[in-house]
């Protein structure tokens, strides 16, 4: 199982986050988002941030969660290479997670492409052979 | 890829115009109108461009037709290159009809210099621009606003805020769409998270398809109009700035998409696409979103105004002359992701509408009170940026654009190839070298990946887009520019 994958779309890009549990698929979706923006192999674990999000269904929970990740990047100039979901409620659609990484440094980190927003376009949350896959389009 | 795409029926109206008949998707209130050549139609058929145009036609209070412009391609909700006029009382306002990068737009500057004069210092100039205008991932504005109260001034005043702070000249404002300030903006409807994302980024180019370009005028097609816009001859140097409202606008869009989904589950259920969600006219959310979205639009105009100032500073430093001496003036500034309240003539009657333009440029014709007094006689300049390494165009709005497209035309080249495919096909380093060697361009980018993703071959031919706009009469070609220096975000 690949943690995350990138698939084609004319203007933007699909990210797929995979996991043995939904929780893990959410974690790996966040990792995919980060990898698209920066080579996460170059990101060290120096700072830890808490992320909380709430949705009205699974899809909106994912959008809210990943939007918080983008907001942390924009607001505090951070990049992350590890996410851990600490609370996952798929009845109330609430999530809590920690994100670990460091300050973005253009000299140290190999840049990818900035993601502007997470969209609902063609979003799929599927379970196949015990693997959960979340596919979502990001706006570049 | 995914499930096969529903094929949409098209009736050819003219060489470059097609109608999507009502009924192609259930619930269409009006037909669709697509501007494209035979070839571009084939391209549009490869993704959901036409289906999304038909979906837009299901929105309430929509006038005449849902429009797809020649650079149209698949977006989310609306296609990119989508235009819709929804009645101010019976319709609504949809974030999907605007896009996440609210007031992403283009500003064109002119100079009195020729490419020959700047060539010896081109390298230095591009480096100066790259240094003076923050770009790329994590790009922060050089001045850092500290509080919400400070940012609220930007939200309210737009480009005028920047001018009052010393960024640029007062007369710049006259040459901006809406003079760079939507008065309906009200910061109290903007979330704290949007403010947090917006504070550090004011005064930065960002990444993705955003760029600054030093260009030379390559050909003038309409001398009289070009002269009115200050474009006077071949090889004249112009500067193009393409950016938007950064994370601030993205958060405003995300916030209101969520709010609207929550508030209108019944509407959501009936929509063919979740991202077409709208706030019905007259609802509290319609009012709030309009005001918050206008704050983001103003942020973007302030952003481009600050960048203009740094462009002037860079020229001054490199050429050791005052910007005034170089006539480094604004030709125009257009928003191509925006909704505005406008009044249009429909079947002889005036209609007040929420005018949605997503990846579409306003193209008002001559005599419209919204355009600057010095352009009144010829019409509004329309700025059509090409992709990196290809031409850009100046078009002009016309009587026809007012009649056919609510005064709108295309916004650029429009993507042809996915970013992923572009990455497979090109390597940033090699592409940069090729453009620099073959076209004598100077390129600086924060990211190699960015260069590959924005490769010229990944876009539709901007020439083709401009020609279709011209042929349909919705934006007449005035001049073409070619890049000589590029700073990529």
């Amino acid at each position: 199982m690949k943690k995350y994958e990138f698939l084609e779309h004319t203007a933007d890009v699909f990210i797929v986050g995979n996991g043995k549990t939904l929780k893990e698929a959410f974690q790996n979706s966040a990792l995919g988002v980060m990898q698209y923006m920066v080579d996460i192999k170059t990101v060290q674990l120096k700072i830890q941030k808490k992320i909380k999000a709430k949705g009205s269904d699974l899809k909106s929970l994912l959008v809210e969660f990943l939007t918080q990740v983008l907001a942390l990047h924009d607001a505090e100039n951070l990049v992350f290479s590890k996410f851990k979901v600490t609370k996952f409620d798929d009845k109330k659609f609430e999530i809590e997670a920690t994100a670990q990484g460091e300050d973005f440094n253009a000299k140290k980190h190999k840049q990818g492409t900035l993601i502007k927003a997470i969209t609902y376009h063609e979003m799929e949350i599927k379970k196949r052979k015990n693997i959960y896959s979340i596919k979502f389009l990001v706006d570049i | 890829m995914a499930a096969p795409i529903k094929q949409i029926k098209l009736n050819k109206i003219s060489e470059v115009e097609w109608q999507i008949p009502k009924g192609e998707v259930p619930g269409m209130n009006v037909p669709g109108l697509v501007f494209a050549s035979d070839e571009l139609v084939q391209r549009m058929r490869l993704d959901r461009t036409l289906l999304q145009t038909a979906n837009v036609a299901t929105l309430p209070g929509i006038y005449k037709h849902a429009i797809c412009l020649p650079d149209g391609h698949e977006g989310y909700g609306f296609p990119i290159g989508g235009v819709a006029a929804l009645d101010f009382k019976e319709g609504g306002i949809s974030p999907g009809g605007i896009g996440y990068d609210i007031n992403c737009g283009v500003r064109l500057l002119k100079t009195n210099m020729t490419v020959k004069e700047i060539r010896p210092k081109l390298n230095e100039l591009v480096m100066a621009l790259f240094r003076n205008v923050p770009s790329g991932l994590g790009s922060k504005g050089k001045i850092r606003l500290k509080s919400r109260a400070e940012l609220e001034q930007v939200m309210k005043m737009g480009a005028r805020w920047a001018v009052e702070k010393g960024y640029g000249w007062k007369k710049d404002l006259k040459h901006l769409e809406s003079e760079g300030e939507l008065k309906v903006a009200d910061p109290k409807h903007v979330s704290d998270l949007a403010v947090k994302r917006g504070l550090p980024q004011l005064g930065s180019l960002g990444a993705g398809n955003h760029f600054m370009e030093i260009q030379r005028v390559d050909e003038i097609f309409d001398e009289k109009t070009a002269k009115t816009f200050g474009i006077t001859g071949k090889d004249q140097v112009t500067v193009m700035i393409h950016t938007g409202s950064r994370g601030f606008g993205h958060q405003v869009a995300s916030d209101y998409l969520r709010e609207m989904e929550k508030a209108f589950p019944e509407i959501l259920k009936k929509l063919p696409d979740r991202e077409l969600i709208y706030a019905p006219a007259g609802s509290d959310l319609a009012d709030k979103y309009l005001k918050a979205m206008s704050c983001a639009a103003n942020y973007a105009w302030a952003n481009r105004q600050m960048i203009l100032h740094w462009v002037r500073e860079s020229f001054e430093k490199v050429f050791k002359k005052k910007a005034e001496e170089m006539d480094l003036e604004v030709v125009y500034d257009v928003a191509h992701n925006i909704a505005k309240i406008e009044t249009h003539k429909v079947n002889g009657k005036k209609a007040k509408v929420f005018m949605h333009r997503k990846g579409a440029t306003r193209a008002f014709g001559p005599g419209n009170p919204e355009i600057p007094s010095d352009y009144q006689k010829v019409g509004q300049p329309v700025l059509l940026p090409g992709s990196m390494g290809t031409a850009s165009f100046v078009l002009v709005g016309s009587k026809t654009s007012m009649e056919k497209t609510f005064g709108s035309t295309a916004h650029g080249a429009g993507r042809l190839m996915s970013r992923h495919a572009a990455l497979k096909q090109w390597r940033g380093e090699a592409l940069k070298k090729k453009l620099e060697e073959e076209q004598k361009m100077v390129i600086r980018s924060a990211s190699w990946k960015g260069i590959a993703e924005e490769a010229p071959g990944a876009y539709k031919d901007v020439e083709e887009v401009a020609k279709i706009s011209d042929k349909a009469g919705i934006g007449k070609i005035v001049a073409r520019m070619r890049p000589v220096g590029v700073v990529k975000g």
Side-chain angles (χ1 to χ4, degrees):
Chain A
M1 178 192 83
K2 282 185 191 161
K3 283 186 175 175
Y4 48 81
E5 295 163 73
F6 303 115
L7 301 177
E8 302 194 6
H9 177 267
T10 320
D12 298 302
V13 69
F14 283 111
I15 297 179
V16 182
N18 301 314
K20 289 188 198 79
T21 60
L22 255 182
K23 200 171 116 173
E24 196 187 339
F26 266 63
Q27 275 170 195
N28 287 337
S29 297
L31 216 51
V33 164
M34 263 298 144
Q35 175 62 36
Y36 202 74
M37 305 214 290
V38 63
D39 186 357
I40 58 175
K41 285 197 297 287
T42 61
V43 176
Q44 289 176 289
L45 309 178
K46 292 181 179 170
I47 299 170
Q48 181 165 313
K49 287 276 167 185
K50 271 200 179 130
I51 298 173
K52 263 186 183 179
K54 195 175 171 356
S56 49
D57 54 22
L58 267 185
K59 288 182 177 178
S60 61
L61 182 63
L62 181 83
V63 169
E64 289 307 311
F65 171 56
L66 297 178
T67 300
Q68 293 290 334
V69 174
L70 294 181
L72 264 175
H73 167 73
D74 275 355
E76 301 186 28
N77 195 31
L78 296 170
V79 285
F80 304 107
S81 54
K82 194 176 178 187
F83 292 91
K84 195 165 189 286
V85 174
T86 51
K87 185 187 150 194
F88 190 82
D89 188 331
D90 57 2
K91 300 283 179 308
K92 286 191 203 150
F93 307 110
E94 288 174 357
I95 192 169
E96 285 181 27
T98 56
Q100 286 177 283
E102 63 179 320
D103 286 332
F104 174 71
N105 175 350
K107 290 199 184 88
K108 176 178 174 185
H109 301 121
K110 197 175 164 208
Q111 297 198 32
T113 306
L114 183 73
I115 292 173
K116 288 176 181 169
I118 312 296
T119 82
Y120 286 103
H121 187 76
E122 310 281 315
M123 189 190 285
E124 288 170 1
I125 301 183
K126 277 191 200 161
K127 190 183 175 189
R128 238 184 277 124
K129 292 180 191 161
N130 294 324
I131 300 288
Y132 288 88
S133 273
I134 307 177
K135 179 179 149 196
F136 54 99
L137 184 80
V138 294
D139 187 31
I140 309 286
Chain B
M1 220 171 65
I5 295 159
K6 179 183 156 68
Q7 283 304 311
I8 297 290
K9 187 179 159 193
L10 287 175
N11 297 325
K12 196 164 188 173
I13 306 171
S14 79
E15 205 186 331
V16 292
E17 285 159 90
W18 310 72
Q19 189 202 51
I20 303 174
K22 260 172 85 170
E24 266 309 282
V25 305
M28 282 172 77
N29 293 314
V30 290
L33 178 62
V34 180
F35 293 87
S37 58
D38 289 8
E39 200 199 327
L40 285 183
V41 162
Q42 292 315 313
R43 293 279 183 184
M44 288 174 180
R45 287 205 178 282
L46 298 177
D47 62 24
R48 288 171 185 75
T49 312
L50 300 172
L51 176 64
Q52 289 183 335
T53 307
N55 285 345
V56 170
T58 66
L59 291 174
I62 182 166
Y63 281 102
K64 284 167 87 173
H65 29 236
I67 296 164
C68 177
L69 295 163
D71 50 347
H73 56 92
E74 180 177 330
Y76 12 86
F78 280 55
I80 320 282
V83 173
L86 307 185
D87 186 74
F88 188 68
K89 284 192 178 138
E90 311 289 325
I93 181 165
S94 171
I98 295 161
Y100 285 96
D101 194 356
I102 296 165
N103 191 2
C104 184
V106 184
R107 182 175 294 210
L108 183 70
L109 320 174
K110 61 158 179 112
T111 71
N112 60 13
M113 294 189 285
T114 64
V115 69
K116 220 173 152 186
E117 290 171 78
I118 70 155
R119 184 70 76 182
K121 290 198 164 182
L122 185 59
N123 247 315
E124 207 184 315
L125 180 62
V126 172
M127 258 333 273
L129 289 171
F130 187 63
R131 264 198 302 265
N132 283 338
V133 182
S135 67
L137 203 67
S139 54
K140 306 283 161 223
K142 284 196 290 193
I143 55 138
R144 175 111 190 221
L145 298 188
K146 287 185 185 64
S147 66
R148 180 177 177 113
E150 276 182 286
L151 198 65
E152 287 196 351
Q153 294 304 311
V154 179
M155 296 183 216
K156 276 192 243 174
M157 294 163 67
R160 188 161 60 91
W161 174 88
V163 170
E164 285 185 12
K165 291 283 174 190
Y167 297 96
W169 311 331
K170 206 171 166 197
K171 70 171 175 182
D172 296 336
L173 300 177
K174 290 277 173 221
H175 279 183
L176 315 181
E177 180 172 333
S178 300
E179 301 194 3
E181 179 181 1
L182 295 180
K183 303 235 186 256
V184 67
D186 186 348
K188 75 168 176 280
H189 303 302
V190 171
S191 73
D192 284 336
L193 194 58
V195 170
K196 258 174 126 179
R197 288 179 77 171
L199 275 172
Q201 293 185 329
L202 185 67
S204 67
L205 194 65
N209 59 354
H210 294 159
F211 66 79
M212 287 182 294
E213 214 170 72
I214 316 284
Q215 308 167 325
R216 66 178 169 87
V217 174
D218 171 51
E219 194 161 350
I220 294 176
F221 299 84
D222 172 352
E223 259 180 50
K224 185 180 145 245
T225 306
K227 208 175 158 200
T228 307
F229 295 159
I231 295 167
T232 51
K234 259 181 121 165
D235 283 338
Q236 179 185 2
V237 170
T238 58
V239 183
M240 192 173 262
I241 301 163
H242 179 205
T243 187
S245 53
R246 310 286 283 105
F248 181 78
H250 315 159
Q251 192 59 42
V252 169
S254 297
D255 285 343
Y256 278 90
L257 270 170
R258 180 191 55 214
E259 291 301 317
M260 287 179 195
E261 284 207 339
K262 258 200 263 174
F264 307 112
E266 292 308 310
I267 293 176
L268 195 61
K269 255 188 250 164
K270 288 185 207 146
L271 285 171
D273 183 344
R274 190 167 185 167
E275 292 209 286
L276 275 182
I277 188 71
Y278 62 89
S283 68
D284 197 33
L285 260 181
D287 183 58
K288 282 183 181 167
Y289 178 59
L290 178 70
K291 288 171 176 168
M293 187 270 306
S294 299
C295 286
N298 288 346
Y299 179 109
W301 272 310
N303 195 30
R304 291 197 288 274
Q305 183 66 25
M306 293 166 83
I307 292 174
L308 156 69
H309 176 69
W310 294 321
V311 169
R312 282 186 179 137
E313 279 189 348
S314 306
F315 269 78
E316 286 180 336
K317 209 178 150 215
V318 171
F319 296 106
K320 310 208 164 37
K321 273 199 257 184
K322 282 280 181 208
E324 288 90 339
E325 290 172 66
M326 293 178 273
D327 280 343
L328 201 40
E329 290 188 23
V330 179
V331 173
Y332 205 59
D333 177 304
V334 293
H336 58 219
N337 275 357
I338 201 160
K340 284 178 172 176
I341 297 165
E342 287 177 6
T343 303
H344 286 271
K345 240 194 200 160
V346 183
N347 303 327
K349 277 193 219 152
K350 276 187 179 174
K352 190 176 177 186
V353 298
F354 288 110
M355 195 64 235
H356 293 71
R357 293 191 184 93
K358 181 192 195 179
T361 314
R362 196 184 74 176
F364 279 179
N368 193 300
E370 275 283 309
I371 62 184
S373 53
D374 44 343
Y375 299 161
Q376 278 289 326
K377 279 195 184 142
V378 296
Q380 179 213 306
V382 173
L383 310 173
L384 220 66
S387 53
M388 185 177 51
T390 65
S392 295
F393 282 85
V394 177
L395 315 181
V396 66
S398 65
K399 208 171 149 238
T400 311
S401 53
M402 298 313 288
E403 285 161 7
K404 283 188 182 170
T405 53
F406 303 96
S408 318
T409 191
H411 85 304
R415 281 199 87 89
L416 202 56
M417 185 187 282
S418 73
R419 287 169 191 278
H420 204 62
L423 283 178
K424 273 191 226 157
Q425 186 149 349
W426 293 289
R427 283 186 64 238
E429 291 91 330
L431 189 66
K432 176 175 182 282
K433 208 169 158 222
K434 185 168 179 271
L435 290 170
E436 290 191 330
E437 276 170 9
E438 285 174 14
Q439 301 191 28
K440 287 198 283 175
M441 281 167 62
V442 177
I443 303 171
R444 288 283 170 278
S445 174
S447 154
W448 292 119
K449 192 177 164 203
I451 289 184
E453 284 192 351
E454 298 297 323
Y459 281 82
K460 286 178 190 166
D461 184 0
V462 69
E463 300 259 351
E464 172 96 358
V465 171
K467 272 184 200 153
I468 293 164
S469 168
D470 188 87
K471 222 173 235 173
I474 56 174
K476 301 296 282 180
I477 296 177
V478 176
R480 180 175 64 208
M481 291 88 70
R482 290 203 181 274
V484 289
V486 184
V487 173
K488 275 248 351 87

